[in-house]
Amino acid sequence: MAIGNETEVTVFILQSFTNDPGLQAALFCLFFSLFVVALVGNGLIIAAIHCSPNLHTPMYFFLVNLAMLDMICTSSILPKVLQSLVAENTISYGGCISQMFFFTWSLSAELLLFTAMAYDRYLAICRPLHYSTLMSGRFCLALAAFVWSMGVLNAFLLTGLVLRLSFCGPNTIAHFFCEIPPVLLLSCSPTFINNIMTIAADMFLSGMNFLLTMVSYGCIIASILRIRSAEGKRRAFSTCSSHLIVVTMYYSTVLYTYIRPALGSAGLMDKVVAVLYTIVTPTLNPLIYTLRNKEFKASLKKFLLLFSK
Protein backbone atom coordinates (compact mmCIF):
# COMPACT_ATOMS: atom_id res chain seq x y z
CA MET A 1 0.00 0.00 0.00
CA ALA A 2 1.41 3.39 -0.92
CA ILE A 3 0.78 6.50 1.14
CA GLY A 4 2.03 9.85 -0.08
CA ASN A 5 4.96 9.59 -2.49
CA GLU A 6 6.06 5.93 -2.90
CA THR A 7 5.62 5.16 0.77
CA GLU A 8 5.64 1.45 1.56
CA VAL A 9 5.63 1.53 5.35
CA THR A 10 2.07 2.03 6.62
CA VAL A 11 2.70 1.40 10.32
CA PHE A 12 5.51 2.57 12.58
CA ILE A 13 6.59 0.94 15.84
CA LEU A 14 7.24 3.34 18.70
CA GLN A 15 10.01 2.55 21.15
CA SER A 16 8.57 1.57 24.52
CA PHE A 17 9.79 2.94 27.83
CA THR A 18 10.19 -0.49 29.37
CA ASN A 19 9.17 -4.12 28.93
CA ASP A 20 8.58 -4.66 32.65
CA PRO A 21 4.78 -5.04 33.16
CA GLY A 22 4.95 -3.63 36.69
CA LEU A 23 6.89 -0.56 35.58
CA GLN A 24 4.56 -0.13 32.61
CA ALA A 25 1.57 -0.02 34.96
CA ALA A 26 3.31 2.53 37.20
CA LEU A 27 4.20 4.72 34.21
CA PHE A 28 0.65 4.48 32.91
CA CYS A 29 -0.74 5.71 36.21
CA LEU A 30 1.84 8.51 36.35
CA PHE A 31 1.31 9.72 32.79
CA PHE A 32 -2.47 9.42 33.04
CA SER A 33 -2.42 11.54 36.21
CA LEU A 34 -0.22 14.14 34.50
CA PHE A 35 -2.54 14.14 31.48
CA VAL A 36 -5.61 14.79 33.63
CA VAL A 37 -3.85 17.51 35.62
CA ALA A 38 -2.63 19.19 32.42
CA LEU A 39 -6.08 19.20 30.81
CA VAL A 40 -8.00 20.18 33.93
CA GLY A 41 -5.44 22.75 35.09
CA ASN A 42 -5.12 24.49 31.76
CA GLY A 43 -8.87 24.26 31.22
CA LEU A 44 -9.48 25.97 34.55
CA ILE A 45 -7.04 28.73 33.61
CA ILE A 46 -8.94 29.42 30.39
CA ALA A 47 -12.36 29.30 32.07
CA ALA A 48 -11.38 31.41 35.09
CA ILE A 49 -9.80 34.13 32.97
CA HIS A 50 -12.75 34.16 30.56
CA CYS A 51 -15.24 34.58 33.42
CA SER A 52 -13.22 37.21 35.34
CA PRO A 53 -13.34 40.73 33.84
CA ASN A 54 -10.50 41.87 36.12
CA LEU A 55 -8.22 39.37 34.39
CA HIS A 56 -8.92 40.66 30.89
CA THR A 57 -5.43 42.11 30.54
CA PRO A 58 -2.62 41.36 28.07
CA MET A 59 -0.72 39.18 30.56
CA TYR A 60 -3.70 36.88 31.14
CA PHE A 61 -4.64 36.96 27.46
CA PHE A 62 -1.26 35.46 26.62
CA LEU A 63 -1.64 33.01 29.51
CA VAL A 64 -4.85 31.72 27.90
CA ASN A 65 -2.96 31.18 24.65
CA LEU A 66 -0.22 29.31 26.54
CA ALA A 67 -2.81 27.08 28.22
CA MET A 68 -4.38 26.25 24.85
CA LEU A 69 -1.00 25.36 23.35
CA ASP A 70 -0.16 23.17 26.36
CA MET A 71 -3.42 21.28 25.87
CA ILE A 72 -2.65 20.73 22.18
CA CYS A 73 0.85 19.49 23.02
CA THR A 74 -0.20 16.98 25.68
CA SER A 75 -3.25 15.82 23.67
CA SER A 76 -1.08 15.09 20.64
CA ILE A 77 1.46 13.02 22.57
CA LEU A 78 0.01 11.44 25.71
CA PRO A 79 -2.95 9.39 24.40
CA LYS A 80 -0.63 7.36 22.17
CA VAL A 81 1.93 7.04 24.98
CA LEU A 82 -0.76 5.68 27.30
CA GLN A 83 -1.92 3.23 24.63
CA SER A 84 1.61 1.97 24.07
CA LEU A 85 1.97 1.20 27.78
CA VAL A 86 -1.09 -1.06 27.94
CA ALA A 87 -1.54 -2.28 24.36
CA GLU A 88 0.32 -2.18 21.06
CA ASN A 89 3.01 0.41 20.61
CA THR A 90 2.33 0.99 16.92
CA ILE A 91 1.10 4.07 15.10
CA SER A 92 -0.17 4.38 11.54
CA TYR A 93 1.63 6.50 8.96
CA GLY A 94 -1.22 9.02 8.97
CA GLY A 95 -1.34 9.05 12.75
CA CYS A 96 2.41 9.63 12.90
CA ILE A 97 2.19 12.57 10.47
CA SER A 98 -0.74 14.05 12.42
CA GLN A 99 1.10 13.72 15.72
CA MET A 100 4.19 15.28 14.17
CA PHE A 101 2.16 18.21 12.81
CA PHE A 102 0.31 19.08 16.02
CA PHE A 103 3.39 18.66 18.19
CA THR A 104 5.50 20.84 15.87
CA TRP A 105 2.70 23.41 15.74
CA SER A 106 2.35 23.66 19.52
CA LEU A 107 6.12 23.68 20.13
CA SER A 108 6.79 26.37 17.52
CA ALA A 109 3.95 28.60 18.67
CA GLU A 110 4.89 28.20 22.33
CA LEU A 111 8.45 29.37 21.73
CA LEU A 112 7.13 32.46 19.92
CA LEU A 113 4.56 33.04 22.65
CA PHE A 114 7.24 33.08 25.34
CA THR A 115 8.91 35.94 23.48
CA ALA A 116 5.59 37.81 23.26
CA MET A 117 5.01 37.30 26.99
CA ALA A 118 8.53 38.51 27.78
CA TYR A 119 7.91 41.62 25.67
CA ASP A 120 4.65 42.22 27.55
CA ARG A 121 6.48 42.06 30.90
CA TYR A 122 9.23 44.32 29.53
CA LEU A 123 6.70 47.02 28.63
CA ALA A 124 4.83 46.62 31.94
CA ILE A 125 7.97 47.10 34.04
CA CYS A 126 10.30 49.22 31.90
CA ARG A 127 7.72 51.45 30.19
CA PRO A 128 4.69 51.47 32.52
CA LEU A 129 3.41 54.92 31.42
CA HIS A 130 3.12 53.77 27.80
CA TYR A 131 2.03 50.19 28.54
CA SER A 132 -1.70 50.57 27.92
CA THR A 133 -1.05 52.35 24.63
CA LEU A 134 1.61 49.98 23.33
CA MET A 135 -0.18 46.82 24.51
CA SER A 136 -3.61 47.64 23.15
CA GLY A 137 -6.21 44.97 22.58
CA ARG A 138 -5.75 45.14 18.82
CA PHE A 139 -1.99 44.72 19.13
CA CYS A 140 -2.38 41.74 21.46
CA LEU A 141 -4.73 40.05 18.98
CA ALA A 142 -2.31 40.71 16.14
CA LEU A 143 0.58 39.33 18.17
CA ALA A 144 -1.38 36.19 19.08
CA ALA A 145 -2.43 35.72 15.44
CA PHE A 146 1.21 35.98 14.40
CA VAL A 147 2.25 33.39 17.01
CA TRP A 148 -0.40 30.86 15.97
CA SER A 149 0.02 31.40 12.22
CA MET A 150 3.80 31.10 12.35
CA GLY A 151 3.44 27.90 14.35
CA VAL A 152 1.06 26.48 11.75
CA LEU A 153 3.31 27.61 8.89
CA ASN A 154 6.35 25.95 10.43
CA ALA A 155 4.40 22.74 11.08
CA PHE A 156 3.05 22.68 7.51
CA LEU A 157 6.52 23.26 6.09
CA LEU A 158 8.40 20.65 8.11
CA THR A 159 5.62 18.05 7.99
CA GLY A 160 5.10 18.67 4.28
CA LEU A 161 8.77 17.95 3.65
CA VAL A 162 8.38 14.63 5.48
CA LEU A 163 5.43 13.73 3.22
CA ARG A 164 7.82 13.90 0.25
CA LEU A 165 9.92 11.06 1.64
CA SER A 166 9.61 7.34 1.06
CA PHE A 167 9.66 4.87 3.97
CA CYS A 168 10.42 1.31 2.97
CA GLY A 169 11.77 -0.09 6.24
CA PRO A 170 12.85 -0.44 8.97
CA ASN A 171 9.80 1.03 10.70
CA THR A 172 10.89 1.24 14.36
CA ILE A 173 11.08 4.84 15.58
CA ALA A 174 13.78 5.29 18.22
CA HIS A 175 11.49 7.47 20.34
CA PHE A 176 8.18 7.24 22.19
CA PHE A 177 6.39 9.58 19.75
CA CYS A 178 6.73 10.78 16.16
CA GLU A 179 9.25 13.58 16.36
CA ILE A 180 10.82 14.73 13.10
CA PRO A 181 14.54 13.87 13.70
CA PRO A 182 14.08 10.16 14.57
CA VAL A 183 11.50 9.72 11.80
CA LEU A 184 13.94 11.11 9.23
CA LEU A 185 16.41 8.36 10.13
CA LEU A 186 13.95 5.78 8.73
CA SER A 187 13.56 7.40 5.32
CA CYS A 188 14.73 5.64 2.17
CA SER A 189 14.89 9.03 0.42
CA PRO A 190 17.58 11.71 0.81
CA THR A 191 16.80 13.90 3.82
CA PHE A 192 19.33 16.69 3.26
CA ILE A 193 16.68 19.35 2.67
CA ASN A 194 14.69 18.13 5.68
CA ASN A 195 17.75 18.30 7.92
CA ILE A 196 18.66 21.80 6.72
CA MET A 197 15.12 23.13 7.17
CA THR A 198 14.79 21.49 10.60
CA ILE A 199 18.06 23.05 11.78
CA ALA A 200 17.07 26.43 10.32
CA ALA A 201 13.68 26.30 12.06
CA ASP A 202 15.35 25.31 15.32
CA MET A 203 17.85 28.16 15.08
CA PHE A 204 15.09 30.68 14.38
CA LEU A 205 12.50 29.42 16.86
CA SER A 206 14.75 28.23 19.68
CA GLY A 207 17.86 30.34 19.25
CA MET A 208 16.42 33.70 18.22
CA ASN A 209 13.45 33.56 20.57
CA PHE A 210 15.69 32.52 23.45
CA LEU A 211 17.96 35.48 22.72
CA LEU A 212 15.04 37.94 22.52
CA THR A 213 13.55 36.58 25.73
CA MET A 214 16.86 36.88 27.55
CA VAL A 215 17.34 40.45 26.28
CA SER A 216 13.87 41.36 27.52
CA TYR A 217 14.56 39.91 30.95
CA GLY A 218 17.98 41.54 31.05
CA CYS A 219 16.25 44.91 30.63
CA ILE A 220 13.61 43.91 33.19
CA ILE A 221 16.19 42.91 35.82
CA ALA A 222 18.19 46.08 35.20
CA SER A 223 15.02 48.14 35.64
CA ILE A 224 14.06 46.30 38.84
CA LEU A 225 17.52 46.87 40.33
CA ARG A 226 17.08 50.61 39.83
CA ILE A 227 13.99 50.61 42.04
CA ARG A 228 14.95 51.97 45.44
CA SER A 229 12.39 50.39 47.75
CA ALA A 230 12.55 46.70 48.59
CA GLU A 231 8.76 46.46 48.36
CA GLY A 232 8.82 47.96 44.87
CA LYS A 233 11.44 45.47 43.76
CA ARG A 234 9.42 42.59 45.19
CA ARG A 235 6.22 43.68 43.43
CA ALA A 236 7.99 44.22 40.11
CA PHE A 237 9.72 40.86 40.22
CA SER A 238 6.54 39.03 41.28
CA THR A 239 4.82 40.12 38.07
CA CYS A 240 7.32 38.24 35.89
CA SER A 241 8.77 35.52 38.14
CA SER A 242 6.22 32.88 37.12
CA HIS A 243 6.88 33.42 33.43
CA LEU A 244 10.64 33.38 34.02
CA ILE A 245 10.39 30.02 35.82
CA VAL A 246 8.31 28.51 33.00
CA VAL A 247 10.65 29.87 30.32
CA THR A 248 13.71 28.50 32.12
CA MET A 249 12.14 25.04 32.45
CA TYR A 250 11.03 24.95 28.83
CA TYR A 251 14.14 26.28 27.15
CA SER A 252 16.53 24.19 29.23
CA THR A 253 14.89 21.04 27.85
CA VAL A 254 14.14 22.23 24.31
CA LEU A 255 17.62 23.61 23.73
CA TYR A 256 19.15 20.36 24.96
CA THR A 257 17.06 18.39 22.49
CA TYR A 258 17.23 20.54 19.39
CA ILE A 259 20.49 22.46 19.43
CA ARG A 260 22.75 19.46 18.93
CA PRO A 261 24.98 18.39 16.05
CA ALA A 262 23.53 14.89 15.83
CA LEU A 263 19.88 14.55 14.86
CA GLY A 264 17.71 11.72 16.03
CA SER A 265 19.63 10.39 19.01
CA ALA A 266 17.13 9.08 21.52
CA GLY A 267 18.96 7.60 24.44
CA LEU A 268 17.60 7.39 27.97
CA MET A 269 18.48 11.01 28.75
CA ASP A 270 16.78 12.18 25.55
CA LYS A 271 13.60 10.36 26.54
CA VAL A 272 13.66 11.89 30.01
CA VAL A 273 14.15 15.38 28.57
CA ALA A 274 11.38 14.79 26.00
CA VAL A 275 9.02 13.74 28.80
CA LEU A 276 9.84 16.98 30.61
CA TYR A 277 8.90 19.34 27.78
CA THR A 278 6.02 17.32 26.31
CA ILE A 279 4.34 16.12 29.51
CA VAL A 280 5.74 17.57 32.74
CA THR A 281 6.12 21.23 31.75
CA PRO A 282 2.57 21.61 30.34
CA THR A 283 1.31 20.05 33.57
CA LEU A 284 3.34 22.33 35.84
CA ASN A 285 2.54 25.55 33.95
CA PRO A 286 -0.94 26.02 35.45
CA LEU A 287 0.36 25.20 38.94
CA ILE A 288 3.22 27.69 38.66
CA TYR A 289 1.00 30.51 37.45
CA THR A 290 -1.82 29.87 39.94
CA LEU A 291 0.27 29.23 43.06
CA ARG A 292 2.35 32.39 42.60
CA ASN A 293 -0.43 34.79 41.61
CA LYS A 294 -2.79 36.08 44.31
CA GLU A 295 -5.02 37.90 41.82
CA PHE A 296 -5.55 34.77 39.76
CA LYS A 297 -6.10 32.57 42.83
CA ALA A 298 -8.85 34.92 44.04
CA SER A 299 -10.55 34.85 40.63
CA LEU A 300 -10.20 31.07 40.42
CA LYS A 301 -11.86 30.64 43.83
CA LYS A 302 -14.77 32.85 42.72
CA PHE A 303 -15.11 30.84 39.51
CA LEU A 304 -15.10 27.51 41.36
CA LEU A 305 -17.68 28.76 43.87
CA LEU A 306 -19.88 29.99 41.02
CA PHE A 307 -19.45 26.73 39.12
CA SER A 308 -20.26 24.60 42.18
CA LYS A 309 -23.63 26.30 42.77
Side-chain angles (χ1 to χ4, degrees):
M1 178 179 179
I3 300 179
N5 188 18
E6 300 180 356
T7 300
E8 297 178 7
V9 172
T10 59
V11 175
F12 290 106
I13 300 174
L14 297 171
Q15 195 174 70
S16 60
F17 284 92
T18 177
N19 294 322
D20 184 353
L23 190 53
Q24 285 181 337
L27 287 174
F28 179 87
C29 293
L30 174 62
F31 290 154
F32 181 77
S33 300
L34 292 174
F35 188 38
V36 172
V37 172
L39 293 182
V40 173
N42 286 295
L44 283 175
I45 284 180
I46 296 172
I49 293 175
H50 175 73
C51 297
S52 304
N54 63 306
L55 298 183
H56 293 177
T57 63
M59 182 178 73
Y60 293 105
F61 170 75
F62 291 126
L63 182 56
V64 167
N65 283 266
L66 178 62
M68 294 170 64
L69 288 171
D70 282 338
M71 294 175 74
I72 293 174
C73 180
T74 54
S75 298
S76 65
I77 301 298
L78 267 177
K80 199 63 187 180
V81 171
L82 293 173
Q83 178 187 324
S84 66
L85 288 170
V86 296
E88 58 182 12
N89 58 337
T90 60
I91 185 170
S92 66
Y93 176 83
C96 184
I97 294 297
S98 298
Q99 187 181 71
M100 188 185 302
F101 174 82
F102 283 104
F103 171 72
T104 304
W105 177 19
S106 61
L107 178 64
S108 305
E110 199 150 332
L111 292 172
L112 290 165
L113 183 62
F114 283 143
T115 303
M117 295 174 76
Y119 179 66
D120 171 68
R121 291 300 84 203
Y122 162 76
L123 292 179
I125 294 174
C126 300
R127 303 187 65 182
L129 298 179
H130 302 89
Y131 178 72
S132 58
T133 303
L134 295 173
M135 263 317 203
S136 62
R138 181 175 297 180
F139 180 75
C140 289
L141 288 173
L143 203 55
F146 173 78
V147 166
W148 285 87
S149 60
M150 287 299 293
V152 170
L153 179 62
N154 183 61
F156 266 122
L157 177 62
L158 296 183
T159 307
L161 288 173
V162 174
L163 288 172
R164 297 171 54 252
L165 304 177
S166 296
F167 295 91
C168 50
N171 65 337
T172 301
I173 300 174
H175 213 348
F176 62 88
F177 69 99
C178 288
E179 199 170 16
I180 291 177
V183 172
L184 293 182
L185 296 177
L186 304 180
S187 173
C188 302
S189 307
T191 59
F192 177 76
I193 295 178
N194 298 73
N195 292 331
I196 292 298
M197 293 303 298
T198 301
I199 293 173
D202 293 342
M203 290 178 63
F204 172 75
L205 292 169
S206 298
M208 192 190 75
N209 282 287
F210 177 75
L211 179 61
L212 291 174
T213 301
M214 291 301 101
V215 169
S216 296
Y217 273 100
C219 295
I220 289 172
I221 293 172
S223 180
I224 291 176
L225 292 177
R226 287 195 295 267
I227 299 176
R228 295 184 178 181
S229 66
E231 179 64 19
K233 290 181 179 180
R234 187 192 65 80
R235 289 182 178 180
F237 186 74
S238 66
T239 63
C240 60
S241 57
S242 297
H243 181 238
L244 186 58
I245 292 173
V246 170
V247 166
T248 302
M249 290 172 50
Y250 204 80
Y251 271 111
S252 61
T253 54
V254 170
L255 290 175
Y256 169 86
T257 302
Y258 284 91
I259 310 301
R260 293 183 305 176
L263 294 174
S265 174
L268 178 60
M269 182 57 67
D270 295 328
K271 285 186 179 181
V272 172
V273 171
V275 167
L276 289 176
Y277 71 79
T278 60
I279 301 173
V280 176
T281 300
T283 304
L284 292 180
N285 282 352
L287 297 178
I288 293 172
Y289 279 105
T290 56
L291 293 178
R292 298 180 61 85
N293 192 311
K294 293 181 180 180
E295 185 181 26
F296 181 84
K297 285 193 291 185
S299 297
L300 181 61
K301 288 180 181 179
K302 291 181 181 179
F303 170 77
L304 292 176
L305 289 174
L306 180 65
F307 184 76
S308 62
K309 291 181 180 180

